[in-house]
Amino acid sequence: MNSVEILKEEILKAQKNGDIASLYVLERRAHEVFDEDTLGSYYANILDLALERLTDTLESHRAMDMEEVQDFATLRALYEYAIENYSAGKISDASALFEVLSGLSNSNEFSDALKIHALASEKDISLDNFIDNIADLDATSEAGTFYISCFKTKEAQKLLENSQIDGE
């Protein structure tokens, strides 16, 4: 069996087991081997699994645990989907996802960061403006999070204050 067949078998096994974390581990290899269409399907499968886990989590009335590998991978997949919507100009969809995600995790840091994402998108701030004027990508990179976790203090504070004034 060649390396592509082995990779496909590993991906199929991970998908069958609902193992989002393993799919992220295989991601680099998938990028080396697959064309754009196949990669699109690969990420669609990750998203489908993440949405299933989201539904299960909501139905069981529990918070996702950032220390649990499948919950972590699920939050990452859903965050990436929200950012994809934000980037595509589907700001209201992104805003709704950010709002759900902000209440989905047991991590206060994640929840607080996603609240700022939700507020920015609710205010119709484009992703480019959010990144340029509110997010602190250097600090986020140093923090090593999969999500934008650090913000320019003054701009983020203004956003929070404006939302309180507006009664949000």
Side-chain angles (χ1 to χ4, degrees):
M1 202 176 332
N2 68 33
S3 62
V4 174
E5 290 169 343
I6 292 170
L7 175 61
K8 286 181 179 180
E9 193 172 288
E10 290 175 22
I11 290 170
L12 189 60
K13 181 180 175 188
Q15 287 173 337
K16 195 174 177 182
N17 293 330
D19 189 348
I20 300 169
S22 289
L23 290 170
Y24 273 119
V25 168
L26 298 169
E27 181 179 29
R28 182 187 51 77
R29 288 173 47 204
H31 272 272
E32 292 171 357
V33 173
F34 297 144
D35 61 25
E36 285 300 313
D37 289 340
T38 307
L39 280 173
S41 296
Y42 181 80
Y43 286 111
N45 284 326
I46 290 174
L47 179 60
D48 287 345
L49 291 172
L51 291 170
E52 283 178 35
R53 285 185 57 85
L54 170 64
T55 300
D56 293 345
T57 300
L58 293 172
E59 287 175 353
S60 66
H61 305 287
R62 73 171 186 90
M64 288 196 171
D65 183 351
M66 288 290 258
E67 300 298 317
E68 199 280 313
V69 69
Q70 292 303 325
D71 283 355
F72 181 91
T74 299
L75 290 168
R76 175 182 167 185
L78 294 170
Y79 177 78
E80 289 173 354
Y81 182 58
I83 289 293
E84 185 181 307
N85 276 288
Y86 203 178
S87 176
K90 299 176 184 172
I91 295 177
S92 63
D93 291 347
S95 181
L97 277 165
F98 291 140
E99 192 169 324
V100 167
L101 287 171
S102 74
L104 195 60
S105 169
N106 68 347
S107 165
N108 290 333
E109 294 83 11
F110 182 77
S111 294
D112 291 346
L114 274 284
K115 286 175 187 169
I116 293 174
H117 285 67
L119 288 171
S121 54
E122 284 170 13
K123 296 287 183 197
D124 233 4
I125 296 171
S126 72
L127 179 60
D128 288 340
N129 283 338
F130 177 74
I131 288 172
D132 291 344
N133 301 316
I134 298 170
D136 186 338
L137 296 184
D138 292 334
T140 294
S141 180
E142 287 177 26
T145 57
F146 66 83
Y147 58 96
I148 297 171
S149 59
C150 300
F151 305 92
K152 297 172 184 164
T153 308
K154 192 170 109 180
E155 287 77 4
Q157 192 59 42
K158 258 195 274 185
L159 192 61
L160 290 168
E161 288 169 3
N162 286 342
S163 73
Q164 290 170 347
I165 291 168
D166 294 344
E168 293 175 7

